[in-house]
Amino acid sequence: MDLWHIRGGNRLEGACPVQGSKNASLPVLAASILAPQRCRLLHVPRLRDVDAALRILRHLGCEAEQRENEVYIDSTGLSGCSIPHGLMAEMRSSVIFMGALLSRCGEARLSMPGGCRLGRRPIDLHLAALRKMGARIEEEGGELLCRPSKLHGEEIRLSFPSVGATENIMLAACSARGETVIRGAAREPEIVALQGFLRMTGADVSGAGTDTVYIRGFRPTGAAVCRILPDRIVASTFACAAAAAGGDVELRGVEPGQFSTVLHFLNEAGCDIITKTHSVRLRSEGRLRAVGRVVTEPYPGFPTDAQPVLMAALLKAEGTTCIRETIFENRFRQAPELCRLGADIVCEGRTAWIRGVKTLRGAALHATDLRGGAAMIVAGLCAQGETVVFDEGHVKRGYDGFDSALRALGAEIRLE
Ligand code: UD1
């Protein structure tokens, strides 16, 4: 159990380098097995989810090792195509190994994925698309059995721009015969990053970042070097922390356009924001205004992953903010915990109203999920006295050195 001890009240000041993206790293790690090849990945965060992906790669017979922020993978020795339940249960994105294994081996055996409990999180779109491409997938008591199949290119129309389904189809399509077209694809920066890696390894992919992605085949190159893009959700978290606690923080090594919706609301709340090509400077007096209405949407809309930390930042803002969550059905689990600090949040279905309060008081909280846990830490930074967040390891799934980065900015935080 991780215990985060936070003593609120300090302003945050200084430069904050932002880690590589978890959600960009994971599909690239899965893509490393598409062909027998060696890959070197730079700027990879040290996270529990990355460890879990590396363990899956080693289980499949690959060499996979992380040294600081570099990951080396040699998938020439891949010898298996099944992933045991224990490894699958560690994170939801393990499901993209299905597309990668189908591409490399033509078959796969895995169990239904784990991950944050944010609602039902079905994988019906993944399965329907892969089946349309010729995969023979049977579901047996929580197991996914993909029998030996030859995949062919198809036109896939997604009824919702699922990030994971788009990635899974892109991976599977690399070895499919003929062209695959994904219509209604997710447009997240992580999809563009996956396209970049796939091109480097020899795939003919285009369109990522728009709602139509084309995959036309694959001529393996044998090696690739790739730098993981900065984590827009981690950048949003530090921005929300500085906004709420007050301070003057420069986020370095970021792509401001990738979290501009979050910066937009922080600016509306009263923060002074200056963006440069790869940095964002945010100044806040710590006295914010409510921002009216926030609706989470697929990219380029406001990201659901930044919703809990924005909620935390607005707990003391003057007025009432309304947040509507449209992506996940159960994503306000942090709210009752934040109320223990004295916050005034009312949730009804997928809508939450946050009425700003004058003071928050430290309390013992339980991290409910990855971003919910981060939200509690952000709230603790502007609460009087000590907040302790009891966390079964959720936050470390997505934040690399969160406590030391916050301490470097002047926060009083200790991880036990
Ligand atoms: C990814 C991100 C996650 C983020 C989410 C939405 C990774 C590793 N994770 O998750 O941090 O919160 O995008 O931006 O990149 N859905 C279905 N059927 C499907 C697939 C999805 O109904 O087959 C639904 C889900 O239940 C959810 C919504 O679509 O309500 C979004 O899911 P999706 O975009 O697939 O998210 P993930 O890829 O799981």
Side-chain angles (χ1 to χ4, degrees):
M1 173 79 83
D2 294 333
L3 293 185
W4 303 81
H5 296 266
I6 306 122
R7 191 164 280 282
N10 292 8
R11 280 169 63 83
L12 302 185
E13 275 178 16
C16 177
V18 172
Q19 69 182 61
S21 159
K22 166 176 90 75
N23 289 353
S25 301
L26 301 173
V28 164
L29 289 169
S32 70
I33 65 167
L34 284 182
Q37 61 190 341
R38 290 192 182 84
C39 307
R40 192 166 142 238
L41 311 177
L42 312 174
H43 203 223
V44 183
R46 291 159 307 171
L47 302 173
R48 269 185 51 197
D49 277 12
V50 169
D51 276 347
L54 294 177
R55 278 202 300 282
I56 291 177
L57 290 171
R58 287 194 286 267
H59 174 85
L60 295 171
C62 306
E63 284 175 30
E65 192 190 335
Q66 179 161 22
R67 283 191 217 130
E68 296 296 322
N69 295 116
E70 283 197 30
V71 165
Y72 304 88
I73 300 160
D74 183 346
S75 69
T76 44
L78 184 127
S79 52
C81 59
S82 91
I83 305 177
H85 176 73
L87 289 175
M88 283 298 289
E90 285 195 39
M91 58 168 181
R92 176 170 165 91
S93 21
S94 50
V95 73
I96 44 174
F97 276 93
M98 181 162 56
L101 281 169
L102 274 170
S103 212
R104 172 85 178 262
C105 313
E107 59 183 313
R109 185 182 198 116
L110 19 87
S111 58
M112 295 299 266
C116 283
R117 289 188 292 267
L118 308 175
R120 288 177 306 120
R121 303 191 80 169
I123 55 166
D124 53 320
L125 300 175
H126 304 233
L127 297 179
L130 296 175
R131 282 182 175 133
K132 193 170 180 202
M133 294 168 69
R136 296 188 298 139
I137 308 173
E138 290 163 25
E139 295 164 77
E140 288 177 4
E143 281 252 301
L144 291 166
L145 184 59
C146 310
R147 298 206 177 276
S149 337
K150 278 232 170 309
L151 301 187
H152 52 85
E154 267 292 345
E155 175 159 332
I156 311 281
R157 198 171 284 276
L158 291 177
S159 54
F160 177 86
S162 156
V163 176
T166 303
E167 292 166 348
N168 234 335
I169 300 165
M170 286 167 76
L171 295 174
C174 279
S175 68
R177 191 168 24 85
E179 182 181 63
T180 299
V181 182
I182 311 172
R183 299 202 188 275
R187 292 185 281 165
E188 269 69 359
E190 294 76 19
I191 304 287
V192 181
L194 177 60
Q195 167 176 283
F197 179 77
L198 290 175
R199 281 182 179 167
M200 228 177 275
T201 58
D204 182 359
V205 191
S206 60
T210 75
D211 64 2
T212 310
V213 179
Y214 304 86
I215 306 102
R216 301 184 194 85
F218 190 45
R219 283 215 191 95
T221 52
V225 181
C226 163
R227 186 178 166 84
I228 299 296
L229 64 107
D231 196 310
R232 62 197 169 98
I233 305 301
V234 170
S236 303
T237 305
F238 282 111
C240 287
D248 184 349
V249 165
E250 185 176 307
L251 304 171
R252 291 201 177 149
V254 292
E255 296 290 336
Q258 295 181 353
F259 59 113
S260 58
T261 47
V262 179
L263 295 175
H264 163 81
F265 283 115
L266 293 178
N267 184 233
E268 245 186 42
C271 300
D272 188 14
I273 293 171
I274 302 168
T275 56
K276 292 198 181 145
T277 319
H278 294 299
S279 71
V280 171
R281 182 169 175 194
L282 181 143
R283 274 175 294 190
S284 161
E285 290 309 317
R287 287 188 301 275
L288 302 180
R289 297 186 291 271
V291 296
R293 192 174 156 82
V294 180
V295 182
T296 65
E297 285 170 335
Y299 194 85
F302 184 87
T304 173
D305 286 353
Q307 176 265 106
V309 290
L310 182 70
M311 176 185 277
L314 295 171
L315 296 177
K316 293 202 305 186
E318 200 187 328
T320 301
T321 299
C322 169
I323 300 184
R324 176 129 183 93
E325 170 63 53
T326 71
I327 308 294
F328 291 108
E329 56 190 7
N330 192 11
R331 199 150 205 189
F332 292 137
R333 297 174 72 220
Q334 73 280 3
E337 294 297 305
L338 295 174
C339 288
R340 288 165 179 261
L341 300 171
D344 181 352
I345 308 170
V346 175
C347 300
E348 254 179 55
R350 291 188 179 214
T351 306
W353 287 269
I354 301 108
R355 190 142 38 121
V357 293
K358 287 233 153 37
T359 42
L360 298 174
R361 289 204 171 70
L365 309 179
H366 286 89
T368 44
D369 58 87
L370 164 55
R371 307 299 169 189
M376 290 169 211
I377 293 172
V378 168
L381 293 172
C382 39
Q384 287 174 1
E386 194 185 44
T387 296
V388 183
V389 180
F390 291 78
D391 173 15
E392 289 158 29
H394 292 294
V395 174
K396 279 195 197 154
R397 287 191 35 230
Y399 294 84
D400 181 355
F402 198 32
D403 54 326
S404 51
L406 285 169
R407 263 196 309 280
L409 296 174
E412 208 177 320
I413 177 168
R414 181 168 57 85
L415 174 61
E416 186 185 323

